[in-house]
Amino acid sequence: MPVESGTCIIETAGLTKRYGDICALAPLDLQVSEGEWLTVMGHSGSGKSTLLNLLGGLDRPTAGRLLVGGEDLLAFSEDHLARFRREAVGIIFQQHHLIPYLTALENVMMAQYFHSVPDQAEARQALERVGLGKRLANRPGELSGGEQQRVCIARAIINSPKLLLGDELTGNLDHKSTRLVMELLKELHEEEHFTLVLVTHNQEVAGWGGRTLFMDDGKLVKDLRHERKGDDPS
Amino acid sequence: MILARGVTMLLVWAILVMGLARAYAGEKAALTAGCAAGLVAGTIFGFFLFAAVPGEIPFFIIKSALAAAFISLFIVAAIVWYRGTAAEGDRPSVRHAVVAITVFLFAAGYGLLLVCRLPYGTDNSQFMALLLILLAMLGLWMIVYRLEPLLPNIGMAKGGTSLFAVSLLLFIASLSPRLDLFSPLSMKVMKLIHDFVHQFFESMLIPDHPFFRTDIWNYIGLLFSNGVGFWGGLAIWFIPTTGVTLATFREPLPSVAHVRQAAVRRKLIAAQLRERRRRLFFPLFAGLVMAAAAFNSSHPSVEYWDPKPLAVKADSAGEIVLPVKDGDVDLKDGKLHKYLYQKGAQKVRFFALYRSGELTVVLDACSICQPDGYGQNEGTVICYYCKTLIPLETVGKPGGCNPIPVPFAVDGSGVHLSAEMLVNTWVAQVQSEKKLPGGGK
Ligand SMILES: Nc1ncnc2c1ncn2[C@@H]1O[C@H](COP(=O)(O)OP(=O)(O)OP(=O)(O)O)[C@@H](O)[C@H]1O
Ligand SMILES: [Mg+2]
């Protein structure tokens, strides 16, 4: 598999995160090209979420350099960082963080609101795109785990982010739902050309991407480029 | 006093210029020049005006200029209403000139008011004050240029800015009763309504009483109450600001339909909405300032000299004698001295005043207003009811809202008045509550 062409969207040098004595992320040098689909695997506590949070501007590193889309995240003020999170990054978590008392549609519109202005028609379209056209008016509690996760995906891509980050987004889903979500992600990835970084324990999920990082104890132990699946039926 | 007032006004001025410079960053040079030249010209013109023209005329001139500025706001509002508030693309040279001239006029007005706010006269202290002001201005100027870039962005719609500028002038004017525009405006409205109602009844040939029951008269009476003038005046007062604000809201945003990506489109819309909110800053703030001016005008902070009327009695010949000098009291001290004469239930208030080198005695009421009486302020007395200012020189002359003059004689023993004449004049000429339907406060 050739090294992907195109410009770097993520570039880190000696990126480090410490919590007191614990080194959650050892100095890491990493480059990710635009449009790449990257998977991060590793044992529990190996620093996967830590890395993802740093990339999404949710957390600040202890040391090192971090460029996203050519911009130095460390130089950003809190305000600027918040704007960066709203406009350039979409984040999907295992615990969906949907607002329980708002409907699916309103949850998506909320993301629009924080980005700029809400647009109901556009939000409805986004939910139709993830196959929830009939569940617009349901609250998260009335949706299955897989459906909730799809609402999260619609919410994450609504502002056309350059970078989509997913932390264990299929962790609670069964085999079938996981497949549905991954197929959806593949479709969106092809259409929207965002860069995708997924953290997972699931070997199968890793297979959907073109490159996998293996982490252990905060260190990057393997950086593997491989064939992508999803086109073959299994 | 001079310094306190002058410095306050200069501080306001500095903040203002800073805001303007921020809002029109592209026109900074024209703005700066216009502001400086205007303030200096206005201040100097003000001093010369007061030095050259005596009495009330300078105030009249300034007040007329203010009124013209206020009326021009209606034109501004109309233009904004029909053309929109977005900054239009004139040629830069024209724009510079327009900005410079507009700002010059505004600054000149500010300078004039600055002079008015300082006490009367043109002795050396005033020129010293002028010098101080110019020096202070120079200092403030530097601060303005240093601080301006630190300010957040504010809207830059011309309509809103001129609105704000004029409302500020009106506010400063409202600080001194002689320049205040709001009271005369509400007075005009009240008179207009009175006249209209009278005309209406006359032209319909309806005799006042037989046709209507009292409760109908009570409704008509509402039209005559003090409140009508106030609220009517207020409505007119706020037309320009309301107009510009509404026009800004009403204005359609530029189309973004050509932008393909939804998120980008929304961002553009959000930016436009933000921009419109910013353009609302000046009109809304202007509204606030106008409200403050109206409030000022109806709650003047000016202290009127208004002594408690001294009860007097007539002697056996029916004559009232006021000693010219009696202990602390000196009728010739230039302040008004109020007296109360009571015969049965009929009370008569009158005052004596020494002005223009002469004593005069007048009733504490005029023939057109409710007899709320008069108070004295620098150079004038004010009718509490209609807020009309009467220059001291004209107290003692009949007509209009002037206090009703009464015949009197002065000799060595004091001022002599006939008690009967006082009562008769009061009963014959002063409005009583009963004459106007529903009148009074
Ligand atoms: N806020 C924190 N304070 C202290 N230590 C923390 C904090 N967050 C994470 N850590 C520690 O950093 C290390 C890496 O944590 P991280 O959450 O990145 O692991 P992970 O790879 O995502 O694990 P999992 O697969 O269980 O989610 C862990 O040892 C964890 O205890
Ligand atoms: Mg984790």
Side-chain angles (χ1 to χ4, degrees), chain B residues 46 57 71 98 103 149 159 205 267 305 312 316 337 365 382 420 435:
Chain B
I57 296 166
I71 289 164
V98 169
V103 159
L205 292 176
K267 245 182 107 171
W305 168 249
V312 288
S316 52
H337 298 258
I382 183 172
E420 196 190 342
K435 275 196 187 171

Side-chain angles (χ1 to χ4, degrees), chain A residues 17-20 22-25 40-53 59 94 167-168 199-201 215 217-218:
Chain A
K17 181 71 187 182
R18 299 183 147 278
Y19 292 106
I22 305 164
C23 185
L25 187 66
V40 184
M41 294 191 72
H43 300 297
S44 189
S46 57
K48 307 183 297 289
S49 300
T50 304
L51 173 62
L52 209 67
N53 290 346
D59 212 345
Q94 178 178 359
D167 196 349
E168 309 268 19
V199 165
T200 185
H201 283 290
M215 302 195 52
D217 208 10

